[in-house]
């Protein structure tokens, strides 16, 4: 069976998380990637990674405009295995937390929650104000997973790609997808 995963990239710094996630998902068999990129993320992708929306479209199976409310991901009848927003801006977090479904990213996130599917938000902001924290609480109480991308430093990894991929491995694991990106604690004992 094909696993449909919805991926959204919004306008927080850390576009590399969305990019590396797409690359990892693309290498997996039986995974169908449905991608949306916010207008602000488009600028950040260009600034941080020198990548265009067209470059990222190639890593997906289906791409939707953020204003396309007729897209299948806007409906709960379109079965998916979950949705990841990486990175997730505080604006998008706030819209999800408050049910303000003003674009397809927020609509698809809301659908994911109402259908009781996995929703993972790589929220990117620091430090946090009380409003951010309350929005994170609301999403968590509604069943979402708030996962700020904090790179684990205990593996002695050196490059940014390697650190990002450890977080990507955690996302895949939360989606129930097994990958080689995440070295599990205790793996050394099995070798
Ligand atoms: C270079 C740049 C970096 C930004 N980084 C962040 C960030 O890390 N976190 C965040 O919440 N907003 C950040 N913002 C602000 C968001 O882009 C802005 O709130 C925007 O409305 C988000 O829209 P979206 O959620 O539709 O992508 C940044 C803006 C710029 C221009």
């Amino acid at each position: 069976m094909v696993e449909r995963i919805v991926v959204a990239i919004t306008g927080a710094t850390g576009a590399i998380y969305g990019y590396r996630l797409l690359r990892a998902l693309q290498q997996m068999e039986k995974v169908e990637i449905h991608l949306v990129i916010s207008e602000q993320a488009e600028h950040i992708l260009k600034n941080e990674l020198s990548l265009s929306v067209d470059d990222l479209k190639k890593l997906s199976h289906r791409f939707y405009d953020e204003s396309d409310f007729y897209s299948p991901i806007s409906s709960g009848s379109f079965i998916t295995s979950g949705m990841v927003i990486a990175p997730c801006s505080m604006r998008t977090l706030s819209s999800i937390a408050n049910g303000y479904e003003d674009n397809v990213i927020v609509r698809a996130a809301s659908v994911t929650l109402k259908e009781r599917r996995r929703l993972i938000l790589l929220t990117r902001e620091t430090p946090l104000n009380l409003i951010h924290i309350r929005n994170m609480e609301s999403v968590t109480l509604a069943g979402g997973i708030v996962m700020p991308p904090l790179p684990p430093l205990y593996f002695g990894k050196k490059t940014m790609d390697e650190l990002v991929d450890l977080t990507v491995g955690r996302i895949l694991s939360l989606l129930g997808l097994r990958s080689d990106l995440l070295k599990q604690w205790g793996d050394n004992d099995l070798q």
Side-chain angles (χ1 to χ4, degrees):
M1 203 183 77
V2 173
E3 304 250 18
R4 286 181 184 143
I5 307 291
V6 181
V7 176
I9 301 178
T10 64
T13 184
I16 192 171
Y17 285 101
Y19 172 60
R20 304 278 315 173
L21 172 66
L22 287 172
R23 284 180 44 138
L25 286 170
Q26 201 208 21
Q27 283 164 22
M28 296 184 142
E29 282 177 26
K30 297 185 179 171
V31 168
E32 196 179 277
I33 307 162
H34 295 252
L35 176 65
V36 200
I37 297 176
S38 77
E39 195 183 330
Q40 182 61 13
E42 199 174 328
H43 301 298
I44 295 186
L45 273 165
K46 201 169 170 196
N47 289 341
E48 293 186 349
L49 302 175
S50 302
L51 289 173
S52 68
V53 167
D54 282 341
D55 293 325
L56 266 72
K57 265 186 197 175
K58 291 177 197 150
L59 298 174
S60 70
H61 297 90
R62 302 245 345 232
F63 177 84
Y64 310 103
D65 191 278
E66 72 173 330
S67 62
D68 180 10
F69 286 101
Y70 285 91
S71 64
I73 58 172
S74 297
S75 168
S77 63
F78 186 72
I79 310 288
T80 74
S81 302
M83 174 171 184
V84 185
I85 307 184
C88 180
S89 72
M90 294 300 104
R91 195 207 71 77
T92 293
L93 167 72
S94 165
S95 293
I96 297 167
N98 293 285
Y100 190 68
E101 302 177 16
D102 58 343
N103 67 30
V104 167
I105 295 173
V106 181
R107 171 65 189 161
S110 172
V111 163
T112 305
L113 289 177
K114 86 182 173 72
E115 299 296 332
R116 307 299 193 267
R117 299 174 189 148
R118 266 287 195 250
L119 175 68
I120 301 166
L121 307 185
L122 255 74
T123 48
R124 218 306 320 175
E125 189 53 279
T126 193
L128 300 168
N129 65 36
L130 185 58
I131 297 166
H132 298 146
I133 292 168
R134 286 196 171 138
N135 286 335
M136 289 178 186
E137 180 191 37
S138 295
V139 171
T140 303
L141 289 171
I145 297 176
V146 176
M147 182 184 167
L150 303 177
L153 302 176
Y154 42 74
F155 286 119
K157 295 278 179 178
K158 289 186 182 65
T159 70
M160 189 178 342
D161 283 352
E162 284 173 319
L163 286 173
V164 167
D165 282 351
L166 288 170
T167 297
V168 169
R170 293 295 297 275
I171 298 169
L172 297 176
S173 155
L174 284 169
L175 289 169
L177 301 170
R178 193 134 189 191
S179 80
D180 294 334
L181 292 179
L182 181 68
K183 196 175 163 73
Q184 294 180 45
W185 200 249
D187 268 1
N188 283 343
D189 301 338
L190 302 174
Q191 286 164 4

